[in-house]
Amino acid sequence: MEAMKVKNLYNLEETIAAPLLQEAQYPWEVLGKIKDFIVELGNSLPEERFEKRGENIWVAKSAKVAPTACLNGPCIVDEEAEIRHCAFVRGSAIIGKGAVVGNSTELKNVILFNKVQVPHYNYVGDSILGFKAHMGAGSITSNVKSDKTLVVVKSREEEIETGLKKFGAMLGDNVEVGCNSVLCPGTVIGRNTNVYPLSRVRGFVPAGCIYKNQGEVVEKR
């Protein structure tokens, strides 16, 4: 489905991970490649702008990392990013320029584009968040189905088998997710879409819409 392809979800000029995503048709195809990509890219980052803070952990000198934050490699924290009090980066995470990872937020196997905000009590795993995407307080990605079967991305037109057991959410540029929402495994949300607070989202949500509930998605005026 065209709307779910990398080129229609993301502005690749807004991520250090562009070379990885350019290789893919659908964004979830790179989830298994993030770890190795970070190690390869990290070793090529300029020392005048980035410092190595442990095994396969690269942090831009202009980034702010709270003393209580926990960073596990492989990980890249790009310029002007902010990692706040008690954030937990489990590993395989790319945190874009000017991104905010907040109090008690946990990241695992993710790409956060530039200016992404996951600022309060969020869990983001096996996911890709586009430029300026924002997850409200308490909103999370659920990355494994309860029956542990492989994730299928569903839309009205078709179903795409991903072959993945772990797949959280693909959020396009400028997506807004309301507080305490759950993005179920295999969620894909198009650019500039808003999700109401307390939502349970599953499958594909088109660009430029307001998601009110599973049966009510309306175009923005």
Side-chain angles (χ1 to χ4, degrees):
M1 185 177 179
E2 283 294 313
M4 289 192 275
K5 291 182 177 179
V6 169
K7 64 182 180 181
N8 292 317
L9 288 172
Y10 304 114
N11 176 5
L12 296 186
E13 294 181 1
E14 294 293 347
T15 178
I16 201 171
L20 177 62
L21 286 159
Q22 285 168 347
E23 299 175 355
Q25 183 176 33
Y26 295 107
W28 55 84
E29 295 170 356
V30 309
L31 290 176
K33 304 175 182 179
I34 294 173
K35 180 178 180 179
D36 291 341
F37 176 79
I38 291 173
V39 174
E40 181 179 358
L41 177 61
N43 284 313
S44 69
L45 293 173
E47 293 184 1
E48 65 271 18
R49 290 165 48 205
F50 289 83
E51 61 182 357
K52 199 170 183 182
R53 295 193 181 182
E55 186 176 2
N56 295 327
I57 299 171
W58 293 271
V59 178
K61 293 180 180 179
S62 61
K64 296 179 181 178
V65 180
T68 51
C70 177
L71 301 182
N72 292 316
C75 171
I76 293 174
V77 181
D78 210 342
E79 295 173 305
E80 305 295 336
E82 183 179 359
I83 315 296
R84 292 176 178 167
H85 173 72
C86 288
F88 178 32
V89 179
R90 281 171 56 188
S92 299
I94 296 173
I95 299 163
K97 290 182 174 67
V100 175
V101 181
N103 174 32
S104 301
T105 290
E106 180 180 346
L107 303 180
K108 172 252 179 187
N109 199 45
V110 298
I111 297 172
L112 306 186
F113 274 55
N114 300 343
K115 300 289 186 179
V116 165
Q117 293 196 358
V118 282
H120 311 287
Y121 315 108
N122 306 109
Y123 172 69
V124 186
D126 301 287
S127 300
I128 300 173
L129 277 56
F131 178 58
K132 286 190 175 180
H134 171 254
M135 294 183 66
S139 61
I140 64 169
T141 64
S142 173
N143 60 336
V144 180
K145 295 173 64 176
S146 59
D147 60 6
K148 307 300 188 292
T149 57
L150 301 181
V151 175
V152 177
V153 179
K154 298 180 180 180
S155 70
R156 290 183 180 179
E157 292 78 21
E158 63 179 318
E159 298 183 0
I160 302 176
E161 296 184 5
T162 69
L164 298 172
K165 183 178 178 181
K166 294 185 177 182
F167 177 150
M170 306 290 125
L171 305 187
D173 297 338
N174 297 295
V175 167
E176 289 278 344
V177 178
C179 296
N180 289 321
S181 293
V182 177
L183 308 180
C184 297
T187 294
V188 180
I189 302 179
R191 285 173 167 154
N192 303 307
T193 283
N194 289 46
V195 174
Y196 269 20
L198 299 173
S199 293
R200 184 186 65 184
V201 186
R202 185 185 303 276
F204 174 64
V205 183
C209 289
I210 298 174
Y211 181 101
K212 298 183 177 182
N213 56 57
Q214 192 67 40
E216 190 177 6
V217 179
V218 299
E219 290 187 11
K220 288 183 177 179
R221 296 178 179 177

